[in-house]
Amino acid sequence: MPTLTLIQAVNDGLKVSMRQDESVLVFGEDVGPKGGVFLATEGLTAEFGKARCFDTPLSEDGIIGTAIGMAANGLRPVCEIQFQDFIFPAFDQIVSEAAKLRYRSGGQYTAPMVIRTPYGGGIRGGLYHSQSGEAYFAHTAGLKVVIPSTAYDAKGLLLAAIEDPDPVLFMEPKALYRHEKGEVPEGHYTVDLSTLRTVREGDNVTVFCYGSMVPVVEKAAAKAAEQGIQCEVVDLRTLLPLDEQGVLDAARKTGRCVIVHEAPRFCGYGAEISAMIAENIIEYMEAPVRRVTGFDTPFPNTLEHHYLPDERRVLDAIEEVARY
Amino acid sequence: MQIETAPEPFSVIGANGDVGGHKVTLSDEELIQCYRTMLTVRAFDDVCMKLQRSGRIGFSVPNKGVEACQVGAASALRQSDFFFPSYRDFGMALYHGVHPVEMMHNMFGNNLDAARGRQMPVHFSFTDPIKYFSISSPIGTHLPQAVGAAYAHQMRGEDNVTLASFGDGGTSSLGFHSALNFAGVWKSPVIFLCQNNGWAISCPSDEQTASDGFAIKGAAYGVPGVTVDGNDVLAMHQAVSEAADRARRGEGPTLIEAVTYRMGGHSTSDDPSKYVPKETLEEWAEKDPVKRFREFLTVRGMWTEELESEWSAAAYEQVNSGAKEAESTEGPRLETIFSDVYAELPQHLRRQGEAAFDLAKRKGDADAGGGAFPL
Ligand SMILES: Cc1ncc(C[n+]2csc(CCOP(=O)(O)OP(=O)(O)O)c2C)c(N)n1
Ligand SMILES: [Mg+2]
């Protein structure tokens, strides 16, 4: 089995999908001859031609709006928003249109499409090339939100997203694009949406995370193990719709939970997990739920290493709930 | 109805530096200031590329080829006017006396940068000696803001104008269309300067729009559009001066398309050799704006080899010493993550700041200082 980086796995997933389904097309800013600013779409125009992989004018609103029309008329658009930070001109098209089309037409019209976008910090991108905006979208009924953290999942989840009947926001942790490598099967396979992945098993503390935070949590969990604290590490993979049973089972297993994301804390995705635990299984909890998150500030540039949750911050939280 | 096609770009400096019948309104002193600013832009650009390649700054954007657009436009405006620049407008700040060291503080993201290193390099913000509005990465967002700033000038009865600068790619943004529409309706004292440098990263301008150039886009909004040779600093000066006069007289906005060419990559992260045709680059190298202006100055007897070496050395000296100073300036303090989010620090940010200091101290990180959150 070939070993690919996360970004190569995305590229491979796109190729596999385009080879098997002629209705799949890829477009966005600089995705054509340049192959995307991170090279996710490298080689697609050469292999599939300009009609199926092309550059658009600089308009996110135009990209998503046209994708909705294509999807409603028999195509499978997989569009790219160059950085998640630049998705907001298309917020209206995503939230008011793509996400609500099935509901408002009673299923007569739908928008099966994928919006791929790199998110998160770690590349010294400052305010506007670093954000983690998943909470805005996880708040939107009708949309699916997927975030892979491994090369294997990136390809399998992407193929599942493209084949899904509903619009999917596919957020790629850019910090892991080249750092995360793994074996990736050739050809077609899928990873089911709305299923979580148990990264590591343990009986003492459950740590929920996703995307760029998964390797950080894995390191912290290894450190915790040296002190005899065994962590159950859960990669949520799909934020919406969430594998709720999986989350509750994992939380109940240890009765001590930590949630980690790099997005800001207030109204962040972790709050939903925490509320879900409180509402359903509080009687199994041995300690208060702890969150490790980015700060409730814009994303800084020079000091980004202080903003991003690191191994130490995660380990502190694990130790705290373990001792409680 | 007959659709007008874009005329040949307006130009002043002809072959061999000859201006034909055009009147030159800039004084000798101003002409030299324009030229020396262009040399400083080039030096700044060059030094930043090297700093980036050697890993001392994270990022920069090349300005080579577009210096005349920036400097010609800036030379037509007053210090009391309001600039809404793009990230590729080094020359506008430099012309009006922003010192290269101020820009270098941003390039290094240190504690003397206006944004305290919160922003990426090339995202400048200045209030002195000109109002140079804080740059945002999302393309086109500043354009309606420029119209709003112009409304404030109008309302207070001031004759200041607002310059909104953006690229060919920027014309596809929502902000461009809202801004032109509002400015047309309000007769705003705004100059919309579209620097058509041929590319929006790797998207060529003829795939950005199907219209015949960008100036024509004003017509639908009732905003007159003109096409100007962007490699001709005097043509730029004249076009922007006329637009500014119109605006100050209360006659409303103008859209200026400056036709130019991006001679470098989009940024230090870009490899233009993958998509920019070599022949086109060679063609545009012939039209180099600095060379073009130098020919004009030579005809006027204002340029010599000796002056060139003196000016160029002075430009490099300013830029290099600015870089040195900025590099040795201390980095932003840890509390700057939490300051300036609001006018007053809310409780939850205080808590998070205290935790950040506590953690940094436990990690033995020098950023923690004494460990107490100072805000
Ligand atoms: C809304 C938005 N989408 C995408 C980007 C990424 N991006 C940065 S610069 C750029 C191209 C801009 O081209 P143009 O407006 O012509 O300006 P130039 O860089 O040529 O000066 C793109 C696509 C962005 N900054 N903002
Ligand atoms: Mg451009």
Side-chain angles (χ1 to χ4, degrees):
Chain A
M1 229 188 287
T3 297
L4 301 184
T5 61
L6 196 151
I7 187 107
Q8 287 169 333
V10 168
N11 183 264
D12 189 37
L14 291 170
K15 285 179 177 156
V16 167
S17 174
M18 292 175 87
R19 280 177 200 141
Q20 81 176 27
D21 181 353
E22 284 205 339
S23 68
V24 174
L25 67 166
V26 167
F27 58 99
E29 292 155 18
D30 306 290
V31 301
K34 184 176 162 76
V37 296
F38 292 102
L39 304 182
T41 57
E42 195 167 39
L44 298 189
T45 302
E47 180 172 346
F48 302 101
K50 261 200 115 166
R52 290 184 63 203
C53 178
F54 54 89
D55 292 336
T56 65
L58 204 169
S59 166
E60 289 72 16
D61 166 68
I63 293 167
I64 306 297
T66 54
I68 294 170
M70 292 173 186
N73 198 15
L75 298 179
R76 283 280 160 149
V78 183
C79 37
E80 176 176 302
I81 298 297
Q82 199 164 82
F83 284 84
Q84 185 253 280
D85 311 66
F86 304 138
I87 206 167
F88 300 111
F91 203 63
D92 205 16
Q93 289 289 353
I94 297 170
V95 172
S96 309
E97 304 303 316
K100 294 181 176 54
L101 186 56
R102 180 186 295 282
Y103 197 73
R104 77 175 193 225
S105 69
Q108 285 176 332
Y109 294 101
T110 59
M113 56 190 272
V114 175
I115 304 164
R116 292 184 38 254
T117 191
Y119 86 96
I123 62 155
R124 278 290 193 107
L127 275 73
Y128 302 112
H129 295 80
S130 310
Q131 294 174 84
S132 297
E134 63 271 18
Y136 298 118
F137 299 99
H139 197 62
T140 301
L143 196 63
K144 296 191 175 184
V145 180
V146 175
I147 305 185
S149 74
T150 66
Y152 179 90
D153 280 358
K155 179 174 170 184
L157 288 168
L158 179 60
L159 283 162
I162 295 171
E163 290 155 28
D164 196 88
D166 286 305
V168 179
L169 177 66
F170 194 82
M171 296 175 62
E172 300 167 3
K174 68 171 94 75
L176 303 186
Y177 265 162
R178 282 165 232 289
H179 289 298
E180 191 57 39
K181 290 192 189 82
E183 289 195 341
V184 175
E186 289 177 69
H188 182 271
Y189 69 95
T190 57
V191 172
D192 289 344
L193 305 188
S194 301
T195 64
L196 50 73
R197 177 175 73 98
T198 304
V199 180
R200 178 187 179 112
E201 292 196 59
D203 295 323
N204 304 128
V205 174
T206 305
V207 189
F208 296 102
C209 54
Y210 50 88
S212 56
M213 285 294 114
V214 174
V216 175
V217 170
E218 283 187 80
K219 281 194 207 124
K223 282 266 170 65
E226 290 169 13
Q227 314 171 22
I229 305 170
Q230 302 304 331
C231 292
E232 175 95 357
V233 176
V234 175
D235 176 359
L236 296 173
R237 297 197 295 200
T238 298
L239 304 194
L240 182 69
L242 177 67
D243 178 357
E244 293 187 12
Q245 200 51 52
V247 167
L248 295 178
D249 289 347
R252 203 188 295 111
K253 180 172 173 188
T254 65
R256 297 169 193 273
C257 295
V258 173
I259 307 154
V260 183
H261 54 66
E262 68 173 88
R265 182 187 207 82
F266 199 87
C267 284
Y269 192 76
E272 185 61 39
I273 303 288
S274 180
M276 196 177 286
I277 292 168
E279 283 170 352
N280 294 286
I281 52 169
I282 197 156
E283 65 273 27
Y284 293 89
M285 288 297 112
E286 306 281 351
V289 173
R290 281 283 170 256
R291 284 180 288 161
V292 182
T293 67
F295 302 125
D296 290 315
T297 70
F299 198 101
N301 185 52
T302 308
L303 295 174
E304 77 169 344
H305 53 289
H306 285 287
Y307 181 96
L308 288 168
D310 62 3
E311 203 181 307
R312 181 62 187 264
R313 262 162 89 183
V314 176
L315 188 59
D316 279 354
I318 291 171
E319 287 171 0
E320 191 195 331
V321 302
R323 272 200 312 266
Y324 188 86
Chain B
M1 188 176 81
Q2 185 118 54
I3 306 280
E4 262 183 70
T5 57
E8 273 295 292
F10 168 73
S11 74
V12 170
I13 308 176
N16 306 318
D18 182 16
V19 297
H22 291 285
K23 220 175 107 207
V24 176
T25 49
L26 284 160
S27 68
D28 283 2
E29 205 175 39
E30 288 167 326
L31 289 169
I32 295 207
Q33 193 183 338
C34 284
Y35 187 72
R36 293 188 67 170
T37 305
M38 287 165 74
L39 293 183
T40 309
V41 174
R42 217 153 254 203
F44 195 90
D45 218 38
D46 181 35
V47 169
C48 286
M49 292 298 127
K50 290 185 179 129
L51 289 170
Q52 198 277 337
R53 298 277 179 256
S54 60
R56 287 152 69 198
I57 61 174
F59 178 84
S60 189
V61 297
N63 284 249
K64 187 157 191 236
V66 298
E67 299 92 339
C69 300
Q70 308 168 355
V71 172
S75 71
L77 298 176
R78 306 174 183 161
Q79 288 195 342
S80 54
D81 293 330
F82 205 149
F83 291 77
F84 282 74
S86 91
Y87 45 82
R88 209 191 298 279
D89 276 327
F90 297 3
M92 292 188 189
L94 289 167
Y95 181 87
H96 283 289
V98 172
H99 194 281
V101 72
E102 300 294 325
M103 293 163 67
M104 283 295 178
H105 288 319
N106 165 267
M107 301 304 295
F108 281 93
N110 67 29
N111 208 41
L112 292 180
D113 168 34
R116 307 282 177 267
R118 297 181 187 116
Q119 287 250 64
M120 274 177 83
V122 308
H123 290 62
F124 306 114
S125 179
F126 304 113
T127 51
D128 180 40
I130 52 168
K131 282 190 287 208
Y132 192 92
F133 198 62
S134 160
I135 291 168
S136 178
S137 305
I139 296 286
T141 45
H142 62 315
L143 302 177
Q145 298 163 8
V147 178
Y151 191 90
H153 287 148
Q154 269 176 314
M155 213 173 148
R156 290 195 295 262
E158 298 161 356
D159 73 344
N160 295 328
V161 304
T162 301
L163 178 78
S165 171
F166 52 97
D168 41 295
T171 62
S172 295
S173 69
L174 299 175
F176 171 81
H177 296 279
S178 308
L180 262 86
N181 192 33
F182 276 56
V185 172
W186 292 350
K187 278 190 173 280
S188 304
V190 179
I191 302 157
F192 293 103
L193 173 58
C194 173
Q195 297 182 45
N196 173 9
N197 62 7
W199 299 96
I201 307 187
S202 72
C203 184
S205 46
D206 60 3
E207 288 181 34
Q208 195 64 245
T209 185
S211 70
D212 193 357
F214 293 90
I216 197 174
K217 288 182 188 287
Y221 296 106
V223 176
V226 292
T227 310
V228 181
D229 181 340
N231 285 24
D232 178 343
V233 71
L234 298 184
M236 286 301 302
H237 174 85
Q238 188 169 327
V240 175
S241 296
E242 281 173 22
D245 289 346
R246 259 177 50 78
R248 294 191 215 282
R249 287 196 303 265
E251 290 167 26
T254 308
L255 171 62
I256 298 175
E257 173 187 354
V259 183
T260 180
Y261 207 74
R262 193 192 78 198
M263 297 302 288
H266 170 72
S267 72
T268 47
S269 313
D270 181 34
D271 175 10
S273 67
K274 269 178 103 173
Y275 59 85
V276 176
K278 234 180 102 209
E279 314 77 65
T280 320
L281 262 186
E282 282 162 9
E283 244 172 69
W284 279 90
E286 287 302 306
K287 305 183 203 167
D288 179 66
V290 174
K291 178 170 154 260
R292 186 96 169 270
F293 193 28
R294 187 187 304 139
E295 283 167 1
F296 161 83
L297 292 175
T298 308
V299 171
R300 283 214 152 197
M302 294 168 65
W303 184 91
T304 62
E305 292 275 1
E306 295 74 57
L307 282 171
E308 176 81 10
S309 347
E310 183 195 319
W311 292 339
S312 173
Y316 271 93
E317 159 55 26
Q318 260 202 335
V319 172
N320 281 322
S321 66
K324 216 163 155 195
E325 188 179 332
E327 190 167 21
S328 59
T329 298
E330 64 170 356
R333 293 174 187 274
L334 185 50
E335 64 268 25
T336 62
I337 294 181
F338 304 93
S339 53
D340 293 329
V341 181
Y342 299 98
E344 225 173 287
L345 189 80
Q347 217 175 18
H348 70 293
L349 285 190
R350 174 171 306 284
R351 233 172 16 243
Q352 293 177 17
E354 285 166 358
F357 270 77
D358 174 59
L359 177 69
K361 192 177 166 205
R362 282 189 288 126
K363 287 202 293 195
D365 194 318
D367 289 338
F373 185 56
L375 300 182

